[in-house]
Amino acid sequence: NAGVTQTPKFQVLKTGQSMTLQCAQDMNHEYMSWYRQDPGMGLRLIHYSVGAGITDQGEVPNGYNVSRSTTEDFPLRLLSAAPSQTSVYFCASLRRGQETQYFGPGTRLLVL
Amino acid sequence: QKEVEQDPGPLSVPEGAIVSLNCTYSNSAFQYFMWYRQYSRKGPELLMYTYSSGNKEDGRFTAQVDKSSKYISLFIRDSHPSDSATYLCAMSSLTGNQFYFGTGTSLTVIP
């Protein structure tokens, strides 16, 4: 199993540009989530999904959209990038009942 | 008030020392408690997971949960330089749809 994969590893955007961060898992996990990690702030939940077709907001959802059309994929969209969205983004997945989140390697995003 | 509070450190100890890492929380609904280890420029990986109160031991690692005090701890015995990383606590309620993380404690074990 590849586990949780994320692409790209690193991205530079200009203010106002849009992009999609990709996340995929091959463990057939129902639950998937997106976090951002900033110095001194820890991991903060952006959006999560408990299954295909079901998404919900986390702690810091503004400026981000998600969709979940398949069990495997959970892309995160930045509609109009802002410098405040400069961060490291982690995707995670979990099998309900085990409460063990598996994290991807992260995407480093710099918004100029 | 943040849901989870964790001293960011940094913490520096000599090899072989016992390390104590702690988190406090405010939400009495939290029932699942986790510790993650994160090496530099990597994703977090689960170290320990406990449900409700009590202790759990796994090799050199012991996790403790005191729900009456809303306080959790991770102890690392016989610390190694390879334990040098950032340690994050995390917790969730029974529904488990949202996980709340501490800010992480940076640990360096000096050979």
Side-chain angles (χ1 to χ4, degrees), chain B residues 26-88:
Chain B
S26 56
N27 190 341
S28 58
F30 289 152
Q31 295 281 354
Y32 296 106
F33 303 92
M34 293 139 281
W35 285 95
Y36 287 82
R37 178 175 60 196
Q38 185 177 23
Y39 291 113
S40 181
R41 306 181 87 85
K42 300 287 187 184
E45 56 177 343
L46 184 73
L47 264 183
M48 300 285 287
Y49 157 67
T50 55
Y51 170 70
S52 195
S53 284
N55 294 357
K56 186 173 183 179
E57 189 173 319
D58 184 1
R60 296 183 297 111
F61 299 91
T62 300
Q64 288 185 352
V65 176
D66 181 349
K67 291 187 67 183
S68 62
S69 301
K70 297 189 178 68
Y71 188 87
I72 69 170
S73 301
L74 177 71
F75 297 96
I76 307 174
R77 292 182 299 280
D78 187 25
S79 55
H80 302 163
S82 59
D83 294 327
S84 298
T86 295
Y87 291 80
L88 302 131

Coordinates of all heavy atoms in Angstrom, one line a residue, chain B residues 26-88:
Chain B
S26 N -9.6 21.5 27.5 CA -10.7 22.1 28.2 C -12.1 21.4 28.0 O -13.0 21.6 28.7 CB -10.9 23.6 27.8 OG -11.0 23.6 26.3
N27 N -12.1 20.6 26.9 CA -13.4 20.0 26.5 C -13.6 18.6 27.2 O -12.9 17.7 26.9 CB -13.4 19.8 25.0 CG -14.8 19.4 24.5 OD1 -15.6 18.9 25.2 ND2 -15.0 19.6 23.2
S28 N -14.5 18.5 28.1 CA -14.7 17.3 28.9 C -15.3 16.2 28.0 O -15.4 15.0 28.4 CB -15.6 17.5 30.1 OG -16.9 18.1 29.6
A29 N -15.7 16.5 26.8 CA -16.3 15.5 25.9 C -15.2 14.6 25.2 O -15.5 13.6 24.6 CB -17.1 16.1 24.8
F30 N -13.9 15.1 25.3 CA -12.8 14.3 24.7 C -12.7 12.9 25.3 O -12.7 12.8 26.5 CB -11.5 15.0 24.8 CG -11.4 16.3 23.9 CD1 -10.6 17.3 24.2 CD2 -12.1 16.3 22.7 CE1 -10.5 18.5 23.4 CE2 -12.1 17.4 21.9 CZ -11.3 18.5 22.2
Q31 N -12.6 11.9 24.5 CA -12.5 10.5 25.0 C -11.3 9.8 24.4 O -10.8 8.8 24.9 CB -13.8 9.7 24.7 CG -15.1 10.3 25.3 CD -15.1 9.8 26.8 OE1 -14.3 9.0 27.3 NE2 -16.1 10.3 27.5
Y32 N -10.9 10.2 23.2 CA -9.8 9.6 22.5 C -8.6 10.5 22.6 O -8.7 11.7 22.3 CB -10.1 9.3 21.0 CG -11.2 8.4 20.8 CD1 -12.5 8.8 20.4 CD2 -11.0 7.0 21.0 CE1 -13.5 7.9 20.2 CE2 -12.1 6.1 20.8 CZ -13.3 6.6 20.4 OH -14.3 5.7 20.2
F33 N -7.4 10.0 23.0 CA -6.2 10.8 23.2 C -5.1 10.1 22.5 O -4.8 8.9 22.6 CB -5.9 10.9 24.7 CG -7.1 11.5 25.5 CD1 -8.0 10.6 26.1 CD2 -7.2 12.8 25.6 CE1 -9.1 11.2 26.8 CE2 -8.3 13.4 26.3 CZ -9.2 12.5 26.9
M34 N -4.4 10.9 21.7 CA -3.3 10.4 20.9 C -2.0 11.2 21.0 O -2.1 12.4 21.3 CB -3.8 10.4 19.4 CG -4.9 9.5 19.1 SD -6.2 10.2 18.0 CE -7.1 11.2 19.2
W35 N -0.9 10.6 20.8 CA 0.4 11.2 20.7 C 1.0 10.9 19.3 O 1.0 9.7 18.9 CB 1.3 10.8 21.8 CG 1.0 11.4 23.1 CD1 0.2 10.8 24.1 CD2 1.4 12.7 23.6 NE1 0.1 11.7 25.2 CE2 0.8 12.8 24.9 CE3 2.2 13.7 23.1 CZ2 1.0 14.0 25.6 CZ3 2.4 14.9 23.8 CH2 1.8 15.0 25.1
Y36 N 1.4 11.9 18.6 CA 2.0 11.8 17.3 C 3.5 12.3 17.4 O 3.8 13.2 18.2 CB 1.3 12.6 16.2 CG 0.0 12.0 15.8 CD1 -1.2 12.3 16.5 CD2 -0.1 11.3 14.7 CE1 -2.4 11.7 16.1 CE2 -1.3 10.7 14.2 CZ -2.5 11.0 15.0 OH -3.7 10.5 14.6
R37 N 4.3 11.7 16.6 CA 5.7 12.1 16.5 C 5.9 12.7 15.0 O 5.4 12.0 14.1 CB 6.7 11.0 16.7 CG 8.1 11.3 16.5 CD 9.0 10.1 16.9 NE 8.7 8.9 16.1 CZ 9.1 7.7 16.4 NH1 9.8 7.5 17.6 NH2 8.8 6.7 15.6
Q38 N 6.5 13.8 14.9 CA 6.8 14.4 13.6 C 8.2 14.8 13.5 O 8.7 15.6 14.2 CB 5.9 15.6 13.4 CG 5.9 16.2 12.0 CD 5.0 17.4 11.9 OE1 4.6 18.1 12.8 NE2 4.6 17.7 10.6
Y39 N 8.9 14.1 12.5 CA 10.2 14.5 12.2 C 10.2 15.7 11.2 O 9.2 15.9 10.5 CB 11.0 13.3 11.6 CG 11.3 12.2 12.5 CD1 10.7 10.9 12.4 CD2 12.1 12.3 13.6 CE1 10.9 9.9 13.3 CE2 12.4 11.3 14.5 CZ 11.8 10.1 14.3 OH 12.0 9.1 15.2
S40 N 11.3 16.4 11.2 CA 11.4 17.6 10.4 C 11.0 17.3 8.9 O 11.5 16.4 8.3 CB 12.8 18.2 10.5 OG 12.9 19.4 9.7
R41 N 10.1 18.1 8.4 CA 9.7 18.1 7.0 C 9.0 16.8 6.6 O 9.0 16.3 5.5 CB 10.8 18.4 6.1 CG 11.5 19.7 6.4 CD 12.6 20.0 5.4 NE 12.2 20.7 4.2 CZ 12.0 22.0 4.1 NH1 12.3 22.8 5.2 NH2 11.6 22.6 3.0
K42 N 8.4 16.1 7.6 CA 7.6 14.9 7.4 C 6.2 15.1 8.0 O 5.9 16.0 8.8 CB 8.3 13.7 8.1 CG 9.7 13.4 7.6 CD 9.7 12.8 6.3 CE 11.1 12.4 5.9 NZ 11.2 11.9 4.5
G43 N 5.3 14.1 7.6 CA 4.0 14.1 8.2 C 4.0 13.5 9.6 O 4.9 12.7 9.9
P44 N 3.1 13.8 10.5 CA 3.0 13.2 11.8 C 2.7 11.7 11.7 O 2.0 11.3 10.7 CB 1.8 13.9 12.5 CG 1.6 15.2 11.7 CD 2.0 14.9 10.3
E45 N 3.2 10.9 12.6 CA 2.9 9.5 12.7 C 2.5 9.1 14.1 O 3.0 9.7 15.1 CB 4.2 8.7 12.3 CG 5.4 9.0 13.1 CD 6.6 8.1 12.7 OE1 6.4 7.0 12.1 OE2 7.7 8.4 13.1
L46 N 1.5 8.3 14.2 CA 0.9 7.9 15.5 C 1.9 7.1 16.3 O 2.5 6.2 15.9 CB -0.4 7.1 15.3 CG -1.1 6.8 16.6 CD1 -1.8 8.1 17.1 CD2 -2.1 5.7 16.3
L47 N 2.1 7.6 17.6 CA 2.9 6.9 18.5 C 2.0 6.0 19.5 O 2.2 4.9 19.7 CB 3.7 7.9 19.4 CG 5.1 8.2 19.0 CD1 5.7 9.1 20.0 CD2 6.0 6.9 18.9
M48 N 1.1 6.7 20.1 CA 0.3 6.1 21.2 C -1.2 6.6 21.0 O -1.4 7.7 20.7 CB 0.8 6.5 22.6 CG 2.2 6.1 22.9 SD 2.4 4.3 23.2 CE 1.6 4.2 24.8
Y49 N -2.1 5.7 21.4 CA -3.5 6.0 21.3 C -4.2 5.4 22.5 O -4.0 4.2 22.8 CB -4.1 5.4 20.0 CG -5.6 5.2 20.0 CD1 -6.5 6.2 20.1 CD2 -6.1 3.9 20.0 CE1 -7.8 6.0 20.1 CE2 -7.4 3.6 20.0 CZ -8.3 4.7 20.1 OH -9.6 4.4 20.1
T50 N -4.9 6.2 23.3 CA -5.6 5.7 24.5 C -7.1 6.1 24.4 O -7.4 7.2 23.9 CB -5.0 6.1 25.8 OG1 -4.9 7.6 25.8 CG2 -3.6 5.5 26.0
Y51 N -7.9 5.3 25.0 CA -9.4 5.7 25.1 C -9.7 5.9 26.6 O -9.4 5.1 27.4 CB -10.2 4.6 24.5 CG -11.7 4.7 24.8 CD1 -12.4 5.8 24.2 CD2 -12.4 3.9 25.7 CE1 -13.8 6.0 24.5 CE2 -13.7 4.1 26.0 CZ -14.4 5.1 25.3 OH -15.7 5.3 25.6
S52 N -10.3 7.0 26.9 CA -10.7 7.4 28.2 C -9.5 7.5 29.2 O -8.4 7.8 28.7 CB -11.7 6.4 28.7 OG -12.4 7.0 29.9
S53 N -9.6 7.2 30.4 CA -8.6 7.4 31.4 C -7.7 6.2 31.5 O -8.0 5.1 31.0 CB -9.1 7.8 32.8 OG -9.6 9.1 32.8
G54 N -6.5 6.4 32.1 CA -5.6 5.3 32.4 C -4.3 5.4 31.8 O -3.9 6.4 31.2
N55 N -3.5 4.3 31.9 CA -2.2 4.3 31.3 C -2.1 3.3 30.2 O -2.9 2.3 30.2 CB -1.2 3.9 32.4 CG -1.0 4.9 33.5 OD1 -1.6 5.9 33.5 ND2 -0.2 4.5 34.5
K56 N -1.2 3.5 29.3 CA -0.9 2.5 28.2 C 0.6 2.6 28.0 O 1.2 3.6 27.9 CB -1.7 2.9 27.0 CG -1.5 1.9 25.9 CD -2.4 2.2 24.7 CE -2.4 1.2 23.6 NZ -3.3 1.5 22.5
E57 N 1.2 1.4 27.9 CA 2.6 1.3 27.7 C 2.9 0.5 26.4 O 2.3 -0.4 26.1 CB 3.2 0.5 28.9 CG 4.8 0.5 28.9 CD 5.3 -0.1 30.2 OE1 4.7 0.2 31.3 OE2 6.3 -0.9 30.1
D58 N 3.9 1.0 25.7 CA 4.4 0.4 24.5 C 5.9 0.6 24.4 O 6.4 1.6 24.0 CB 3.7 1.0 23.3 CG 4.0 0.3 22.0 OD1 4.8 -0.7 22.0 OD2 3.5 0.7 20.9
G59 N 6.6 -0.5 24.8 CA 8.1 -0.4 24.7 C 8.6 0.7 25.7 O 8.3 0.7 26.9
R60 N 9.3 1.7 25.1 CA 9.9 2.8 26.0 C 8.8 3.9 26.2 O 9.2 4.9 26.9 CB 11.1 3.3 25.3 CG 12.2 2.4 25.1 CD 13.5 3.0 24.5 NE 13.3 3.5 23.2 CZ 13.2 4.8 22.8 NH1 13.4 5.7 23.7 NH2 13.1 5.1 21.5
F61 N 7.7 3.8 25.6 CA 6.7 4.9 25.7 C 5.5 4.5 26.6 O 5.0 3.4 26.6 CB 6.2 5.2 24.3 CG 7.2 5.6 23.3 CD1 7.9 4.7 22.5 CD2 7.5 7.0 23.2 CE1 8.9 5.2 21.6 CE2 8.5 7.4 22.3 CZ 9.2 6.5 21.5
T62 N 5.1 5.5 27.4 CA 3.9 5.3 28.3 C 3.1 6.6 28.2 O 3.6 7.7 28.3 CB 4.3 5.2 29.8 OG1 5.2 4.0 29.9 CG2 3.1 5.0 30.6
A63 N 1.8 6.3 27.9 CA 0.8 7.4 27.8 C -0.1 7.3 29.0 O -0.5 6.3 29.4 CB 0.0 7.3 26.5
Q64 N -0.3 8.5 29.6 CA -1.2 8.6 30.8 C -2.3 9.6 30.5 O -2.1 10.7 29.9 CB -0.5 9.0 32.0 CG 0.4 8.0 32.6 CD 1.1 8.4 33.9 OE1 1.0 9.6 34.3 NE2 1.8 7.5 34.6
V65 N -3.5 9.3 30.9 CA -4.7 10.2 30.8 C -5.3 10.4 32.1 O -5.7 9.4 32.8 CB -5.7 9.7 29.8 CG1 -6.9 10.6 29.7 CG2 -5.1 9.5 28.4
D66 N -5.5 11.6 32.6 CA -6.2 11.9 33.8 C -7.3 12.8 33.4 O -7.2 14.1 33.3 CB -5.2 12.6 34.8 CG -5.9 13.0 36.1 OD1 -7.1 12.8 36.2 OD2 -5.2 13.3 37.0
K67 N -8.5 12.2 33.2 CA -9.6 13.0 32.8 C -10.2 14.0 33.8 O -10.7 15.0 33.5 CB -10.7 12.1 32.3 CG -10.4 11.4 31.0 CD -11.6 10.6 30.4 CE -12.7 11.5 30.0 NZ -13.9 10.8 29.5
S68 N -10.0 13.6 35.1 CA -10.5 14.5 36.2 C -9.7 15.8 36.2 O -10.3 16.9 36.5 CB -10.3 13.8 37.5 OG -9.0 13.5 37.8
S69 N -8.4 15.8 35.8 CA -7.6 17.0 35.7 C -7.5 17.5 34.3 O -6.9 18.6 34.1 CB -6.2 16.7 36.2 OG -6.2 16.2 37.5
K70 N -8.1 16.8 33.3 CA -8.0 17.2 31.9 C -6.5 17.4 31.5 O -6.1 18.4 31.0 CB -8.8 18.5 31.6 CG -10.3 18.3 31.8 CD -11.1 19.5 31.3 CE -12.5 19.4 31.4 NZ -13.0 19.4 32.8
Y71 N -5.7 16.3 31.7 CA -4.3 16.4 31.6 C -3.8 15.0 31.0 O -4.2 14.0 31.5 CB -3.7 16.6 33.0 CG -2.2 16.9 33.1 CD1 -1.8 18.2 33.0 CD2 -1.3 15.8 33.3 CE1 -0.4 18.4 33.1 CE2 0.0 16.1 33.4 CZ 0.5 17.4 33.3 OH 1.8 17.6 33.4
I72 N -3.0 15.1 30.0 CA -2.4 13.9 29.4 C -0.9 14.0 29.4 O -0.4 15.1 29.2 CB -3.0 13.5 28.1 CG1 -2.6 14.5 27.0 CG2 -4.5 13.5 28.1 CD1 -2.9 14.0 25.6
S73 N -0.2 12.9 29.4 CA 1.2 12.9 29.5 C 1.7 11.8 28.6 O 1.1 10.7 28.4 CB 1.8 12.6 30.9 OG 1.3 13.6 31.8
L74 N 2.9 12.0 28.1 CA 3.7 11.0 27.3 C 5.1 10.9 28.0 O 5.8 11.9 28.1 CB 3.8 11.3 25.9 CG 4.7 10.3 25.1 CD1 3.9 8.9 24.9 CD2 5.0 10.8 23.7
F75 N 5.5 9.7 28.4 CA 6.8 9.5 29.0 C 7.6 8.6 28.0 O 7.2 7.6 27.5 CB 6.7 8.8 30.4 CG 6.0 9.6 31.4 CD1 4.6 9.3 31.6 CD2 6.6 10.6 32.1 CE1 3.9 10.1 32.6 CE2 5.9 11.3 33.1 CZ 4.6 11.1 33.3
I76 N 8.9 9.1 27.8 CA 9.8 8.3 27.0 C 11.0 7.9 27.9 O 11.7 8.8 28.5 CB 10.4 9.1 25.8 CG1 9.2 9.7 25.0 CG2 11.2 8.3 24.9 CD1 9.7 10.7 23.9
R77 N 11.1 6.6 28.1 CA 12.3 6.1 28.9 C 13.5 5.8 28.0 O 13.3 5.6 26.8 CB 11.9 4.8 29.6 CG 10.8 5.0 30.7 CD 10.5 3.6 31.3 NE 10.0 2.6 30.4 CZ 8.7 2.6 30.0 NH1 7.9 3.5 30.4 NH2 8.4 1.7 29.1
D78 N 14.7 5.9 28.7 CA 15.9 5.6 27.9 C 15.9 6.3 26.6 O 16.0 5.7 25.5 CB 16.0 4.1 27.8 CG 17.4 3.7 27.2 OD1 18.4 4.4 27.3 OD2 17.4 2.6 26.5
S79 N 15.8 7.6 26.6 CA 15.7 8.4 25.4 C 16.9 8.2 24.5 O 18.1 8.1 25.0 CB 15.4 9.8 25.7 OG 16.4 10.4 26.5
H80 N 16.7 8.2 23.2 CA 17.7 8.0 22.1 C 17.8 9.3 21.3 O 16.8 10.0 21.1 CB 17.4 6.9 21.2 CG 17.3 5.5 21.9 ND1 16.6 4.5 21.3 CD2 17.6 5.1 23.1 CE1 16.6 3.4 22.1 NE2 17.2 3.8 23.2
P81 N 18.9 9.6 20.7 CA 19.0 10.7 19.7 C 17.9 10.6 18.6 O 17.4 11.6 18.1 CB 20.4 10.6 19.2 CG 21.2 10.0 20.3 CD 20.3 9.0 21.0
S82 N 17.6 9.4 18.3 CA 16.5 9.2 17.2 C 15.1 9.6 17.7 O 14.2 9.7 16.8 CB 16.5 7.7 16.8 OG 16.2 6.9 17.8
D83 N 15.0 9.8 19.0 CA 13.7 10.4 19.5 C 13.6 11.9 19.3 O 12.5 12.4 19.5 CB 13.6 10.1 21.0 CG 13.5 8.6 21.3 OD1 12.9 7.8 20.5 OD2 14.0 8.2 22.4
S84 N 14.6 12.5 18.8 CA 14.6 13.9 18.5 C 13.6 14.2 17.4 O 13.7 13.8 16.3 CB 16.0 14.4 18.1 OG 16.9 14.2 19.1
A85 N 12.5 15.0 17.8 CA 11.4 15.2 16.9 C 10.5 16.2 17.6 O 10.7 16.6 18.7 CB 10.7 13.9 16.5
T86 N 9.4 16.5 16.9 CA 8.3 17.3 17.6 C 7.2 16.3 17.9 O 6.8 15.5 17.1 CB 7.8 18.4 16.6 OG1 8.8 19.3 16.4 CG2 6.6 19.1 17.2
Y87 N 6.7 16.4 19.1 CA 5.6 15.5 19.6 C 4.3 16.3 19.8 O 4.3 17.3 20.4 CB 6.0 14.9 21.0 CG 7.2 13.9 20.8 CD1 8.5 14.4 20.6 CD2 6.9 12.5 20.7 CE1 9.5 13.5 20.4 CE2 8.0 11.6 20.4 CZ 9.3 12.1 20.3 OH 10.3 11.3 20.1
L88 N 3.3 15.8 19.1 CA 2.0 16.5 19.1 C 1.0 15.6 19.9 O 0.9 14.4 19.6 CB 1.5 16.7 17.7 CG 2.4 17.5 16.8 CD1 2.6 16.8 15.5 CD2 1.8 18.8 16.5

